Amino acid sequence: MKAVAEPSYRQRVGYQAGLLGGFATLAATLLVAGNMITKEPIAEQQRRELLNSLEKVIPTEIHDNDLLADPITVQWQGVGEVIVYRAKYEGLVTAVAYRVTGKGYAGPIHCIMGIDASGRVLGVRVLAHTETPGLGDKIEVQRDPWILSFNGLSWGNPPPDQWAVKKDGGGFDQFTGATITARAVVDAVAEGLAYFEAEKSVLLASYAAVQSQLVVE
Amino acid sequence: MATSYRRIARDGLWDNNVVFAQMLALCPLLAVTGTATNGLGLGLASIAVMVASALMISMLRGIITPQVRIPVFILIIATLVTLVDLFMNAWLYDLHKVLGLFIPLIVTNCAILGRAESFFSRNPVLPSLMDGLMMGLGFLLVLVVLGAVREILGSGTLFSDAALLLGESFRFLEMTLIPEYRGFLLMILPPGGFIALGFILAAKRVIDRRIAEGTIWADSPQKEGAR
């Protein structure tokens, strides 16, 4: 800025307040516009992301519905609301998928797990975690096949007291240097399975069955 | 005052580089440079914000009074950063998941406010744009170099996931330099960032001294070195 004499009105508080207010209005307008432009694409991206992760834990052969079409929200003791996505084949629920969260070494480990109608694990994937790179990140399927070891297991196989890492007397491998990470994931999956066993009837009830039940009562 | 674009370019890229000389923006620098691709992504986002704020602030410099300039600059920068954040979330979703936390931090990147204060608000539009671009490029350069060093030493790859950022046609950038590499955890973690940055800064000083002594780039004008 050159050292020319500034017009006196620019020294007034009113001018400066107006200037700041003007810029705030301008900024707000730009942000509203930006939000309107990007709202749809962001929602679409998040939808696609969710669908991608669901497809990894529910094979496409066992359902003919849109997995995102009619999720149900259930209350899960100690966790709160859990959204359950249901895979249906000809109207019958063939599998459910929901998020489970483990207490990792450096923060929550968010996983998604798919369970078929007979209670067997179809797949578990880690969605987000903050574990130590190189040690704890072996829970990601891209880095280590460990997470696939849950496939096919259920709440009776192995028995509930075996749902722990080997160090704790259970049946699952842990990682050197990241026992807590493996333990967190095993616990989360076990919790998810125990919940499925307890609430099987609600989770697997197809829409029609729920309806008729209501009528009977 | 005749503005030398060459001078501006040299300042931004080397002599007065955001990181090398001003030692600013170290937090995002050390945090995201686990891979060269992440560095490139944050660098590009920073350039976008830098150039856009250069344009806006230099255009509006006539009406902004010194008393309220700092809040106005911050407002402009924060708006631009939020827009970049939204656009990246919408169209570069996978990269946004990685960089997401650090995009809003560009607001507090003192490098941008520093340039707004010392250059954009005192110079016409064109030199400001040039300065914004060069400062941004200088930052990008450091981000990519540091990211590359840490990625090669830490995981044996270079530009992994570049296709997420630049599109499928850039998949050729993804290289595995050391096959079957077990990884070197330290370099991926923040301490590795400090160590690598230290070596890079040392290398910069050595090169500067050689230039001053005239042993390399002997044709470079000596008067520019004397400030």
Short mmCIF file of all heavy atoms in Angstrom, two decimals, chain A residues 1 6 10-11 15-17 19-20 23-28 30-31 33-35 37-38 41-42 45-46 49 127 132-135, chain B residues 56 60-68 71-72 75-76 78-79 82-83 86-87 89-94 97 121-122 185 188-189:
data_model
loop_
_atom_site.label_atom_id
_atom_site.label_comp_id
_atom_site.label_asym_id
_atom_site.label_seq_id
_atom_site.Cartn_x
_atom_site.Cartn_y
_atom_site.Cartn_z
N MET A 1 0.83 -1.19 0.00
CA MET A 1 0.00 0.00 0.00
C MET A 1 0.86 1.24 0.00
O MET A 1 1.78 1.35 0.79
CB MET A 1 -0.90 -0.01 1.25
CG MET A 1 -2.31 -0.42 0.94
SD MET A 1 -3.16 -0.83 2.46
CE MET A 1 -3.20 -2.60 2.35
N GLU A 6 -4.92 8.80 2.99
CA GLU A 6 -6.14 8.02 2.83
C GLU A 6 -7.35 8.91 3.00
O GLU A 6 -7.33 9.82 3.84
CB GLU A 6 -6.18 6.92 3.88
CG GLU A 6 -5.08 5.90 3.70
CD GLU A 6 -5.52 4.54 4.18
OE1 GLU A 6 -6.40 4.51 5.05
OE2 GLU A 6 -4.98 3.55 3.67
N ARG A 10 -12.42 6.48 5.27
CA ARG A 10 -11.91 5.13 5.51
C ARG A 10 -11.44 4.92 6.95
O ARG A 10 -11.24 3.81 7.38
CB ARG A 10 -10.76 4.84 4.55
CG ARG A 10 -11.27 4.72 3.13
CD ARG A 10 -10.20 4.37 2.17
NE ARG A 10 -9.30 3.33 2.63
CZ ARG A 10 -8.58 2.58 1.82
NH1 ARG A 10 -8.69 2.74 0.51
NH2 ARG A 10 -7.76 1.69 2.30
N GLN A 11 -11.27 6.04 7.65
CA GLN A 11 -10.86 5.92 9.05
C GLN A 11 -12.03 5.68 9.98
O GLN A 11 -11.85 5.35 11.14
CB GLN A 11 -10.11 7.18 9.50
CG GLN A 11 -8.80 7.39 8.77
CD GLN A 11 -7.86 6.21 8.93
OE1 GLN A 11 -7.75 5.66 10.02
NE2 GLN A 11 -7.20 5.80 7.85
N TYR A 15 -17.13 2.53 8.19
CA TYR A 15 -16.59 1.98 6.95
C TYR A 15 -15.97 0.62 7.19
O TYR A 15 -16.17 -0.34 6.44
CB TYR A 15 -15.56 2.95 6.37
CG TYR A 15 -14.84 2.40 5.16
CD1 TYR A 15 -15.42 2.48 3.89
CD2 TYR A 15 -13.59 1.80 5.27
CE1 TYR A 15 -14.79 1.98 2.78
CE2 TYR A 15 -12.94 1.29 4.17
CZ TYR A 15 -13.54 1.38 2.92
OH TYR A 15 -12.90 0.87 1.83
N GLN A 16 -15.23 0.55 8.30
CA GLN A 16 -14.52 -0.71 8.56
C GLN A 16 -15.48 -1.82 8.93
O GLN A 16 -15.33 -2.97 8.50
CB GLN A 16 -13.49 -0.49 9.66
CG GLN A 16 -12.39 0.40 9.12
CD GLN A 16 -11.46 0.89 10.20
OE1 GLN A 16 -11.52 0.42 11.31
NE2 GLN A 16 -10.61 1.82 9.85
N ALA A 17 -16.50 -1.46 9.72
CA ALA A 17 -17.51 -2.46 10.07
C ALA A 17 -18.23 -2.93 8.82
O ALA A 17 -18.44 -4.13 8.60
CB ALA A 17 -18.51 -1.89 11.08
N LEU A 19 -17.09 -2.91 5.80
CA LEU A 19 -16.15 -3.70 5.00
C LEU A 19 -16.13 -5.14 5.48
O LEU A 19 -16.27 -6.10 4.70
CB LEU A 19 -14.76 -3.08 5.15
CG LEU A 19 -13.67 -3.59 4.22
CD1 LEU A 19 -13.93 -3.15 2.80
CD2 LEU A 19 -12.31 -3.07 4.69
N LEU A 20 -16.00 -5.29 6.79
CA LEU A 20 -15.93 -6.63 7.37
C LEU A 20 -17.25 -7.37 7.13
O LEU A 20 -17.27 -8.54 6.72
CB LEU A 20 -15.66 -6.50 8.88
CG LEU A 20 -14.89 -7.62 9.54
CD1 LEU A 20 -13.66 -7.97 8.76
CD2 LEU A 20 -14.51 -7.19 10.96
N PHE A 23 -17.59 -8.44 3.51
CA PHE A 23 -16.81 -9.64 3.20
C PHE A 23 -17.42 -10.90 3.81
O PHE A 23 -17.41 -11.96 3.20
CB PHE A 23 -15.36 -9.48 3.66
CG PHE A 23 -14.51 -8.80 2.64
CD1 PHE A 23 -14.13 -7.49 2.80
CD2 PHE A 23 -14.14 -9.48 1.48
CE1 PHE A 23 -13.37 -6.85 1.85
CE2 PHE A 23 -13.40 -8.83 0.52
CZ PHE A 23 -13.00 -7.51 0.69
N ALA A 24 -17.98 -10.73 5.03
CA ALA A 24 -18.62 -11.89 5.66
C ALA A 24 -19.80 -12.35 4.82
O ALA A 24 -20.00 -13.54 4.59
CB ALA A 24 -19.06 -11.54 7.08
N THR A 25 -20.59 -11.36 4.31
CA THR A 25 -21.74 -11.71 3.48
C THR A 25 -21.28 -12.41 2.20
O THR A 25 -21.82 -13.44 1.78
CB THR A 25 -22.53 -10.44 3.11
OG1 THR A 25 -22.64 -9.64 4.28
CG2 THR A 25 -23.89 -10.79 2.57
N LEU A 26 -20.24 -11.84 1.59
CA LEU A 26 -19.70 -12.41 0.36
C LEU A 26 -19.25 -13.85 0.61
O LEU A 26 -19.56 -14.77 -0.16
CB LEU A 26 -18.52 -11.56 -0.11
CG LEU A 26 -17.90 -11.95 -1.45
CD1 LEU A 26 -18.82 -11.54 -2.58
CD2 LEU A 26 -16.53 -11.30 -1.61
N ALA A 27 -18.54 -14.06 1.72
CA ALA A 27 -18.03 -15.40 2.04
C ALA A 27 -19.19 -16.37 2.24
O ALA A 27 -19.18 -17.49 1.72
CB ALA A 27 -17.17 -15.32 3.30
N ALA A 28 -20.22 -15.90 2.97
CA ALA A 28 -21.37 -16.77 3.23
C ALA A 28 -22.04 -17.16 1.92
O ALA A 28 -22.39 -18.32 1.69
CB ALA A 28 -22.36 -16.07 4.15
N LEU A 30 -20.71 -17.32 -1.10
CA LEU A 30 -19.87 -18.27 -1.83
C LEU A 30 -20.00 -19.67 -1.25
O LEU A 30 -20.09 -20.66 -1.98
CB LEU A 30 -18.40 -17.84 -1.76
CG LEU A 30 -17.99 -16.75 -2.75
CD1 LEU A 30 -16.57 -16.32 -2.46
CD2 LEU A 30 -18.11 -17.28 -4.17
N LEU A 31 -20.03 -19.76 0.09
CA LEU A 31 -20.09 -21.07 0.73
C LEU A 31 -21.44 -21.74 0.48
O LEU A 31 -21.49 -22.95 0.24
CB LEU A 31 -19.84 -20.94 2.24
CG LEU A 31 -18.40 -20.59 2.59
CD1 LEU A 31 -18.23 -20.52 4.08
CD2 LEU A 31 -17.45 -21.60 2.00
N ALA A 33 -23.28 -21.30 -2.14
CA ALA A 33 -23.23 -21.76 -3.53
C ALA A 33 -22.41 -23.05 -3.62
O ALA A 33 -22.82 -24.03 -4.24
CB ALA A 33 -22.64 -20.68 -4.42
N GLY A 34 -21.25 -23.04 -2.98
CA GLY A 34 -20.39 -24.22 -3.03
C GLY A 34 -21.07 -25.43 -2.44
O GLY A 34 -21.01 -26.53 -3.00
N ASN A 35 -21.76 -25.22 -1.35
CA ASN A 35 -22.46 -26.34 -0.70
C ASN A 35 -23.56 -26.89 -1.60
O ASN A 35 -23.72 -28.10 -1.74
CB ASN A 35 -23.06 -25.86 0.63
CG ASN A 35 -23.67 -26.98 1.42
OD1 ASN A 35 -23.21 -28.11 1.33
ND2 ASN A 35 -24.71 -26.70 2.15
N ILE A 37 -23.67 -26.79 -4.88
CA ILE A 37 -23.11 -27.51 -6.02
C ILE A 37 -22.62 -28.90 -5.60
O ILE A 37 -22.80 -29.87 -6.33
CB ILE A 37 -21.93 -26.70 -6.63
CG1 ILE A 37 -22.43 -25.35 -7.14
CG2 ILE A 37 -21.27 -27.48 -7.75
CD1 ILE A 37 -21.32 -24.41 -7.53
N THR A 38 -22.00 -28.99 -4.43
CA THR A 38 -21.31 -30.23 -4.08
C THR A 38 -22.17 -31.19 -3.26
O THR A 38 -21.78 -32.33 -3.05
CB THR A 38 -20.04 -29.94 -3.27
OG1 THR A 38 -20.39 -29.14 -2.16
CG2 THR A 38 -19.01 -29.25 -4.11
N PRO A 41 -23.12 -34.56 -5.35
CA PRO A 41 -21.99 -35.46 -5.57
C PRO A 41 -21.44 -36.06 -4.28
O PRO A 41 -21.09 -37.25 -4.25
CB PRO A 41 -20.94 -34.56 -6.22
CG PRO A 41 -21.68 -33.44 -6.80
CD PRO A 41 -22.90 -33.24 -5.97
N ILE A 42 -21.40 -35.29 -3.19
CA ILE A 42 -20.85 -35.84 -1.94
C ILE A 42 -21.75 -36.95 -1.42
O ILE A 42 -21.28 -38.02 -1.04
CB ILE A 42 -20.67 -34.72 -0.89
CG1 ILE A 42 -19.56 -33.77 -1.31
CG2 ILE A 42 -20.34 -35.32 0.48
CD1 ILE A 42 -19.37 -32.58 -0.41
N GLN A 45 -21.18 -39.95 -3.51
CA GLN A 45 -19.91 -40.60 -3.20
C GLN A 45 -20.02 -41.42 -1.93
O GLN A 45 -19.51 -42.54 -1.84
CB GLN A 45 -18.80 -39.56 -2.99
CG GLN A 45 -18.44 -38.79 -4.23
CD GLN A 45 -17.38 -39.50 -5.04
OE1 GLN A 45 -17.21 -40.72 -4.92
NE2 GLN A 45 -16.69 -38.77 -5.87
N GLN A 46 -20.70 -40.86 -0.92
CA GLN A 46 -20.82 -41.57 0.35
C GLN A 46 -21.67 -42.82 0.18
O GLN A 46 -21.40 -43.86 0.76
CB GLN A 46 -21.41 -40.65 1.42
CG GLN A 46 -20.36 -39.69 1.94
CD GLN A 46 -20.94 -38.58 2.78
OE1 GLN A 46 -22.15 -38.34 2.75
NE2 GLN A 46 -20.10 -37.88 3.52
N GLU A 49 -19.59 -45.41 -1.55
CA GLU A 49 -18.61 -45.93 -0.61
C GLU A 49 -19.24 -46.98 0.30
O GLU A 49 -18.69 -48.06 0.52
CB GLU A 49 -18.09 -44.75 0.22
CG GLU A 49 -17.47 -45.13 1.52
CD GLU A 49 -15.99 -44.95 1.47
OE1 GLU A 49 -15.48 -44.66 0.38
OE2 GLU A 49 -15.35 -45.13 2.51
N LEU A 127 -13.26 -50.48 8.03
CA LEU A 127 -13.61 -49.29 7.25
C LEU A 127 -12.66 -48.15 7.56
O LEU A 127 -12.22 -47.42 6.68
CB LEU A 127 -15.04 -48.85 7.57
CG LEU A 127 -16.14 -49.84 7.24
CD1 LEU A 127 -17.48 -49.28 7.70
CD2 LEU A 127 -16.17 -50.13 5.76
N THR A 132 -1.24 -48.08 14.30
CA THR A 132 0.13 -47.79 13.85
C THR A 132 0.38 -48.39 12.46
O THR A 132 0.21 -49.59 12.29
CB THR A 132 1.13 -48.42 14.82
OG1 THR A 132 0.67 -48.22 16.14
CG2 THR A 132 2.51 -47.82 14.63
N PRO A 133 0.82 -47.57 11.50
CA PRO A 133 1.15 -48.13 10.20
C PRO A 133 2.28 -49.15 10.35
O PRO A 133 3.21 -48.93 11.11
CB PRO A 133 1.62 -46.92 9.38
CG PRO A 133 1.22 -45.73 10.15
CD PRO A 133 1.08 -46.13 11.57
N GLY A 134 2.17 -50.24 9.64
CA GLY A 134 3.24 -51.23 9.67
C GLY A 134 3.06 -52.28 10.74
O GLY A 134 3.61 -53.37 10.63
N LEU A 135 2.33 -51.97 11.81
CA LEU A 135 2.08 -52.97 12.85
C LEU A 135 0.60 -53.31 12.90
O LEU A 135 0.19 -54.42 12.62
CB LEU A 135 2.54 -52.45 14.22
CG LEU A 135 4.04 -52.21 14.40
CD1 LEU A 135 4.29 -51.57 15.75
CD2 LEU A 135 4.80 -53.51 14.29
N MET B 56 -7.79 -12.55 -5.25
CA MET B 56 -8.80 -11.76 -4.55
C MET B 56 -8.20 -10.64 -3.73
O MET B 56 -8.66 -9.50 -3.78
CB MET B 56 -9.64 -12.68 -3.64
CG MET B 56 -10.57 -13.56 -4.44
SD MET B 56 -11.69 -14.48 -3.39
CE MET B 56 -12.78 -13.19 -2.82
N LEU B 60 -8.59 -6.57 -4.27
CA LEU B 60 -9.34 -5.80 -3.28
C LEU B 60 -8.45 -4.94 -2.40
O LEU B 60 -8.92 -4.31 -1.47
CB LEU B 60 -10.17 -6.75 -2.40
CG LEU B 60 -11.21 -7.57 -3.15
CD1 LEU B 60 -11.71 -8.71 -2.28
CD2 LEU B 60 -12.36 -6.69 -3.57
N ARG B 61 -7.14 -4.93 -2.70
CA ARG B 61 -6.23 -4.26 -1.76
C ARG B 61 -6.52 -2.78 -1.62
O ARG B 61 -6.21 -2.19 -0.60
CB ARG B 61 -4.78 -4.49 -2.17
CG ARG B 61 -4.34 -3.74 -3.40
CD ARG B 61 -2.96 -4.17 -3.83
NE ARG B 61 -2.39 -3.29 -4.82
CZ ARG B 61 -2.74 -3.28 -6.09
NH1 ARG B 61 -3.67 -4.12 -6.53
NH2 ARG B 61 -2.18 -2.45 -6.93
N GLY B 62 -7.17 -2.18 -2.64
CA GLY B 62 -7.48 -0.76 -2.58
C GLY B 62 -8.54 -0.42 -1.55
O GLY B 62 -8.55 0.69 -1.01
N ILE B 63 -9.45 -1.33 -1.28
CA ILE B 63 -10.55 -0.97 -0.38
C ILE B 63 -10.36 -1.53 1.03
O ILE B 63 -11.11 -1.17 1.94
CB ILE B 63 -11.92 -1.44 -0.93
CG1 ILE B 63 -11.99 -2.97 -1.05
CG2 ILE B 63 -12.23 -0.79 -2.26
CD1 ILE B 63 -13.42 -3.47 -1.19
N ILE B 64 -9.39 -2.41 1.22
CA ILE B 64 -9.20 -2.98 2.56
C ILE B 64 -8.32 -2.05 3.38
O ILE B 64 -7.22 -1.71 2.96
CB ILE B 64 -8.55 -4.37 2.47
CG1 ILE B 64 -9.46 -5.31 1.67
CG2 ILE B 64 -8.31 -4.94 3.86
CD1 ILE B 64 -8.83 -6.64 1.35
N THR B 65 -8.82 -1.63 4.52
CA THR B 65 -8.02 -0.74 5.36
C THR B 65 -7.10 -1.55 6.26
O THR B 65 -7.41 -2.69 6.61
CB THR B 65 -8.92 0.15 6.24
OG1 THR B 65 -9.75 -0.70 7.01
CG2 THR B 65 -9.78 1.07 5.40
N PRO B 66 -5.97 -0.96 6.64
CA PRO B 66 -5.01 -1.71 7.46
C PRO B 66 -5.61 -2.21 8.77
O PRO B 66 -5.23 -3.26 9.26
CB PRO B 66 -3.91 -0.68 7.75
CG PRO B 66 -4.06 0.37 6.71
CD PRO B 66 -5.48 0.39 6.30
N GLN B 67 -6.58 -1.46 9.32
CA GLN B 67 -7.11 -1.84 10.62
C GLN B 67 -7.84 -3.18 10.60
O GLN B 67 -7.82 -3.92 11.57
CB GLN B 67 -8.08 -0.77 11.16
CG GLN B 67 -7.41 0.52 11.56
CD GLN B 67 -7.27 1.49 10.40
OE1 GLN B 67 -7.37 1.09 9.23
NE2 GLN B 67 -7.03 2.76 10.71
N VAL B 68 -8.53 -3.47 9.50
CA VAL B 68 -9.32 -4.71 9.49
C VAL B 68 -8.73 -5.75 8.52
O VAL B 68 -9.37 -6.72 8.19
CB VAL B 68 -10.80 -4.46 9.11
CG1 VAL B 68 -11.50 -3.67 10.19
CG2 VAL B 68 -10.92 -3.80 7.77
N PRO B 71 -8.55 -9.82 9.74
CA PRO B 71 -9.79 -10.61 9.65
C PRO B 71 -10.28 -10.80 8.23
O PRO B 71 -10.78 -11.87 7.88
CB PRO B 71 -10.80 -9.81 10.48
CG PRO B 71 -10.10 -8.64 11.03
CD PRO B 71 -8.67 -8.70 10.66
N VAL B 72 -10.13 -9.77 7.40
CA VAL B 72 -10.61 -9.90 6.02
C VAL B 72 -9.79 -10.96 5.28
O VAL B 72 -10.34 -11.83 4.59
CB VAL B 72 -10.55 -8.54 5.29
CG1 VAL B 72 -10.79 -8.72 3.81
CG2 VAL B 72 -11.58 -7.59 5.88
N LEU B 75 -10.80 -14.34 6.45
CA LEU B 75 -12.13 -14.67 5.93
C LEU B 75 -12.01 -15.17 4.48
O LEU B 75 -12.58 -16.20 4.10
CB LEU B 75 -13.01 -13.43 6.01
CG LEU B 75 -14.51 -13.61 6.02
CD1 LEU B 75 -14.91 -14.53 7.15
CD2 LEU B 75 -15.19 -12.27 6.16
N ILE B 76 -11.26 -14.45 3.69
CA ILE B 76 -11.10 -14.83 2.28
C ILE B 76 -10.43 -16.20 2.18
O ILE B 76 -10.90 -17.11 1.47
CB ILE B 76 -10.27 -13.76 1.53
CG1 ILE B 76 -11.06 -12.46 1.40
CG2 ILE B 76 -9.87 -14.28 0.15
CD1 ILE B 76 -10.28 -11.32 0.82
N ALA B 78 -10.21 -18.57 4.44
CA ALA B 78 -11.03 -19.65 5.00
C ALA B 78 -12.14 -20.04 4.03
O ALA B 78 -12.45 -21.23 3.86
CB ALA B 78 -11.63 -19.22 6.33
N THR B 79 -12.72 -19.03 3.36
CA THR B 79 -13.77 -19.34 2.39
C THR B 79 -13.21 -20.20 1.26
O THR B 79 -13.80 -21.22 0.87
CB THR B 79 -14.33 -18.04 1.80
OG1 THR B 79 -14.70 -17.18 2.88
CG2 THR B 79 -15.53 -18.31 0.93
N THR B 82 -12.51 -23.76 2.40
CA THR B 82 -13.73 -24.55 2.56
C THR B 82 -14.26 -24.99 1.20
O THR B 82 -14.72 -26.12 1.03
CB THR B 82 -14.80 -23.74 3.30
OG1 THR B 82 -14.20 -23.16 4.45
CG2 THR B 82 -15.94 -24.63 3.75
N LEU B 83 -14.17 -24.08 0.21
CA LEU B 83 -14.64 -24.46 -1.13
C LEU B 83 -13.78 -25.60 -1.69
O LEU B 83 -14.31 -26.57 -2.23
CB LEU B 83 -14.59 -23.24 -2.07
CG LEU B 83 -15.66 -22.18 -1.81
CD1 LEU B 83 -15.44 -20.97 -2.71
CD2 LEU B 83 -17.05 -22.76 -2.04
N LEU B 86 -14.81 -28.78 -0.05
CA LEU B 86 -16.07 -29.31 -0.57
C LEU B 86 -15.87 -29.95 -1.94
O LEU B 86 -16.35 -31.05 -2.21
CB LEU B 86 -17.11 -28.19 -0.67
CG LEU B 86 -17.77 -27.73 0.63
CD1 LEU B 86 -18.62 -26.49 0.37
CD2 LEU B 86 -18.61 -28.83 1.22
N PHE B 87 -15.13 -29.26 -2.79
CA PHE B 87 -14.95 -29.78 -4.15
C PHE B 87 -14.15 -31.08 -4.14
O PHE B 87 -14.43 -32.01 -4.89
CB PHE B 87 -14.27 -28.74 -5.06
CG PHE B 87 -15.20 -27.61 -5.44
CD1 PHE B 87 -14.82 -26.29 -5.29
CD2 PHE B 87 -16.46 -27.89 -5.92
CE1 PHE B 87 -15.69 -25.26 -5.62
CE2 PHE B 87 -17.34 -26.87 -6.26
CZ PHE B 87 -16.95 -25.55 -6.10
N ASN B 89 -14.07 -33.20 -1.69
CA ASN B 89 -14.95 -34.23 -1.13
C ASN B 89 -15.89 -34.75 -2.21
O ASN B 89 -16.20 -35.94 -2.27
CB ASN B 89 -15.75 -33.62 0.03
CG ASN B 89 -16.31 -34.68 0.94
OD1 ASN B 89 -16.31 -35.86 0.61
ND2 ASN B 89 -16.80 -34.28 2.07
N ALA B 90 -16.30 -33.86 -3.11
CA ALA B 90 -17.27 -34.26 -4.12
C ALA B 90 -16.62 -35.03 -5.26
O ALA B 90 -17.18 -36.00 -5.76
CB ALA B 90 -18.00 -33.03 -4.66
N TRP B 91 -15.44 -34.62 -5.68
CA TRP B 91 -14.89 -35.22 -6.90
C TRP B 91 -13.58 -35.96 -6.73
O TRP B 91 -13.10 -36.62 -7.64
CB TRP B 91 -14.78 -34.15 -8.00
CG TRP B 91 -16.14 -33.77 -8.49
CD1 TRP B 91 -16.96 -34.54 -9.25
CD2 TRP B 91 -16.84 -32.55 -8.24
NE1 TRP B 91 -18.15 -33.87 -9.46
CE2 TRP B 91 -18.10 -32.65 -8.87
CE3 TRP B 91 -16.53 -31.38 -7.54
CZ2 TRP B 91 -19.05 -31.63 -8.81
CZ3 TRP B 91 -17.47 -30.38 -7.49
CH2 TRP B 91 -18.72 -30.51 -8.13
N LEU B 92 -12.97 -35.85 -5.58
CA LEU B 92 -11.74 -36.63 -5.33
C LEU B 92 -11.92 -37.33 -3.99
O LEU B 92 -11.13 -37.19 -3.08
CB LEU B 92 -10.50 -35.72 -5.29
CG LEU B 92 -10.07 -35.10 -6.60
CD1 LEU B 92 -9.03 -34.03 -6.35
CD2 LEU B 92 -9.51 -36.15 -7.53
N TYR B 93 -13.00 -38.11 -3.89
CA TYR B 93 -13.43 -38.61 -2.60
C TYR B 93 -12.37 -39.44 -1.90
O TYR B 93 -12.11 -39.28 -0.71
CB TYR B 93 -14.70 -39.43 -2.78
CG TYR B 93 -15.38 -39.78 -1.50
CD1 TYR B 93 -16.09 -38.82 -0.80
CD2 TYR B 93 -15.29 -41.06 -0.98
CE1 TYR B 93 -16.72 -39.13 0.38
CE2 TYR B 93 -15.92 -41.38 0.21
CZ TYR B 93 -16.63 -40.41 0.89
OH TYR B 93 -17.23 -40.71 2.07
N ASP B 94 -11.70 -40.33 -2.64
CA ASP B 94 -10.75 -41.24 -2.00
C ASP B 94 -9.55 -40.47 -1.45
O ASP B 94 -9.07 -40.76 -0.37
CB ASP B 94 -10.28 -42.29 -3.00
CG ASP B 94 -11.38 -43.28 -3.30
OD1 ASP B 94 -11.93 -43.84 -2.34
OD2 ASP B 94 -11.69 -43.47 -4.48
N LYS B 97 -10.44 -38.64 1.67
CA LYS B 97 -10.46 -39.44 2.90
C LYS B 97 -9.08 -39.43 3.56
O LYS B 97 -8.96 -39.47 4.77
CB LYS B 97 -10.86 -40.89 2.56
CG LYS B 97 -12.35 -41.08 2.56
CD LYS B 97 -12.70 -42.54 2.72
CE LYS B 97 -12.12 -43.34 1.57
NZ LYS B 97 -12.50 -44.74 1.60
N SER B 121 -1.12 -7.94 -0.70
CA SER B 121 -1.80 -6.69 -0.36
C SER B 121 -0.98 -5.47 -0.76
O SER B 121 -1.42 -4.35 -0.58
CB SER B 121 -2.08 -6.65 1.15
OG SER B 121 -0.87 -6.64 1.85
N ARG B 122 0.21 -5.69 -1.28
CA ARG B 122 1.05 -4.54 -1.65
C ARG B 122 1.38 -4.51 -3.13
O ARG B 122 2.11 -3.65 -3.58
CB ARG B 122 2.37 -4.59 -0.90
CG ARG B 122 2.22 -4.34 0.56
CD ARG B 122 3.33 -4.97 1.32
NE ARG B 122 2.86 -5.22 2.68
CZ ARG B 122 3.39 -4.64 3.76
NH1 ARG B 122 4.41 -3.85 3.63
NH2 ARG B 122 2.90 -4.89 4.94
N LEU B 185 9.33 -48.62 9.33
CA LEU B 185 8.23 -47.91 9.97
C LEU B 185 8.58 -46.48 10.35
O LEU B 185 7.80 -45.56 10.20
CB LEU B 185 7.79 -48.70 11.20
CG LEU B 185 6.58 -48.17 11.94
CD1 LEU B 185 5.39 -48.11 11.01
CD2 LEU B 185 6.29 -49.06 13.13
N ILE B 188 7.76 -43.69 7.97
CA ILE B 188 6.35 -43.37 7.74
C ILE B 188 5.81 -42.51 8.89
O ILE B 188 4.97 -41.65 8.69
CB ILE B 188 5.51 -44.67 7.67
CG1 ILE B 188 6.14 -45.65 6.69
CG2 ILE B 188 4.07 -44.37 7.34
CD1 ILE B 188 5.66 -45.54 5.30
N LEU B 189 6.31 -42.77 10.09
CA LEU B 189 5.81 -42.04 11.26
C LEU B 189 6.42 -40.63 11.30
O LEU B 189 7.43 -40.36 10.65
CB LEU B 189 6.18 -42.82 12.53
CG LEU B 189 5.51 -44.18 12.65
CD1 LEU B 189 6.00 -44.91 13.89
CD2 LEU B 189 4.01 -44.05 12.68
#
